[in-house]
Amino acid sequence: MTSLSFIPAALRRVALVGLVALAGACTTPAPGEVSRADQPFDPYEARNRQVHELNVALDRAVLRPAGTVYAAVVPQPVNHLVGNFSRNLGTPSDVVNNLLQGRLKDAGVNTVRFVMNSTIGVGGLIDAADAFGIAPRTTDFGETLAVWGVPEGAYLEMPVIGPSTERASAGRIVDLFTNPLDPLMDRSERGLKWGSAVAHGVGERGYRRQTVDSVLYDSADSYAQLRLIYLQGRRHALGDDRGDAYLDPYGDTGADANDPYIDPYAE
């Protein structure tokens, strides 16, 4: 596990919250429980499938029609600006996680991106840093836990949020506290931050309607298909195509997390 001695006290407190969030999390299979290397570790499949059915029903009743209307009204370039704004406000959280991972260069890159996009990028609406060839080093506390050696744990499907794992779910909890901007925002500013993220997500659901529909409504088993897409994409994003020893269903594919597969629950 990466040493945390060089990290400021405030960040160590965040790390402590993360370790507390891990209590009871990250189940590992008993010997012989997963008999084949191509089996995902999904001991809660019955419960997960029930949640999946609820999520599909929510998509059919709310998200899909809202996304369709949004995509018809809002041009995709405009929604792209909304996404830029939302991602820029989340960049300080990336910086915190970069530091907790011991990736100082990535923390510096994301800091430069935040300053550039917040100023010459008109408050983050324009990704000015990307225009200068400074690509984002996007991360989250789930990745921080992976860097620290925490196992992936069991696959989970969460209400509304969608596909996850025990490690990623614990990371989501901690990421509620990792953005140093949040305490500086008033209620309206926080509402704008979360509202822009939701609006962008609804828009993406609309623009990618055919692809998402093919997964959720045209698959023989949409639960298994979505599980495969999520785990493959997540592992590739973490640079772990091999996966844990007990869970390697996809091999060294090198496929991008968003192409050709689309996670309909992605942020």
Side-chain angles (χ1 to χ4, degrees):
M1 182 177 294
T2 303
S3 172
L4 304 180
S5 59
F6 70 96
I7 298 176
L11 297 188
R12 289 201 297 272
R13 284 196 290 272
V14 170
L16 179 60
V17 171
L19 294 177
V20 171
L22 282 173
C26 296
T27 307
T28 55
E33 185 175 351
V34 176
S35 59
R36 301 197 319 267
D38 63 348
Q39 280 185 289
F41 181 47
D42 190 1
Y44 310 121
E45 181 170 353
R47 173 264 182 198
N48 284 337
R49 284 186 177 275
Q50 291 177 345
V51 175
H52 177 72
E53 291 303 317
L54 291 174
N55 284 336
V56 171
L58 179 64
D59 179 84
R60 182 182 291 109
V62 179
L63 188 55
R64 185 177 187 273
T68 300
V69 172
Y70 186 102
V73 174
V74 180
Q76 194 165 4
V78 174
N79 194 55
H80 184 69
L81 297 180
V82 174
N84 286 343
F85 177 79
S86 174
R87 283 189 294 270
N88 187 59
L89 289 178
T91 301
S93 181
D94 291 337
V95 173
V96 170
N97 279 300
N98 291 147
L99 291 173
L100 291 171
Q101 294 160 15
R103 294 169 173 168
L104 302 185
K105 181 179 179 180
D106 288 355
V109 168
N110 278 329
T111 299
V112 170
R113 281 183 52 80
F114 180 72
V115 172
M116 290 183 65
N117 291 342
S118 298
T119 53
I120 62 176
V122 195
L125 290 173
I126 300 172
D127 194 340
D130 190 63
F132 283 88
I134 305 175
R137 309 296 173 88
T138 306
T139 187
D140 53 44
F141 197 79
E143 182 171 5
T144 298
L145 294 174
V147 170
W148 291 354
V150 176
E152 184 179 74
Y155 175 77
L156 298 175
E157 179 149 353
M158 307 297 292
V160 182
I161 295 172
S164 187
T165 62
E166 288 177 319
R167 182 176 65 195
S169 296
R172 286 177 181 273
I173 295 172
V174 179
D175 274 327
L176 295 174
F177 307 96
T178 55
N179 195 325
L181 282 183
D182 287 348
L184 305 178
M185 294 180 178
D186 59 29
R187 179 177 298 179
S188 62
E189 291 170 332
R190 285 193 293 271
L192 183 61
K193 173 189 171 183
W194 291 108
S196 62
V198 171
H200 179 257
V202 170
E204 288 301 295
R205 175 62 178 94
Y207 303 126
R208 301 181 179 188
R209 181 172 59 253
Q210 291 183 344
T211 302
V212 176
D213 284 356
S214 69
V215 174
L216 293 184
Y217 303 113
D218 299 334
S219 301
D221 186 346
S222 62
Y223 171 78
Q225 179 74 358
L226 194 60
R227 180 179 62 189
L228 181 152
I229 291 169
Y230 172 79
L231 290 174
Q232 181 178 11
R234 178 64 176 174
R235 290 193 189 131
H236 181 72
L238 297 183
D240 183 18
D241 291 323
R242 177 187 60 80
D244 293 321
Y246 59 85
L247 182 53
D248 184 15
Y250 315 117
D252 188 14
T253 63
D256 187 89
N258 296 313
D259 186 16
Y261 302 114
I262 300 298
D263 178 357
Y265 297 104
E267 296 181 356

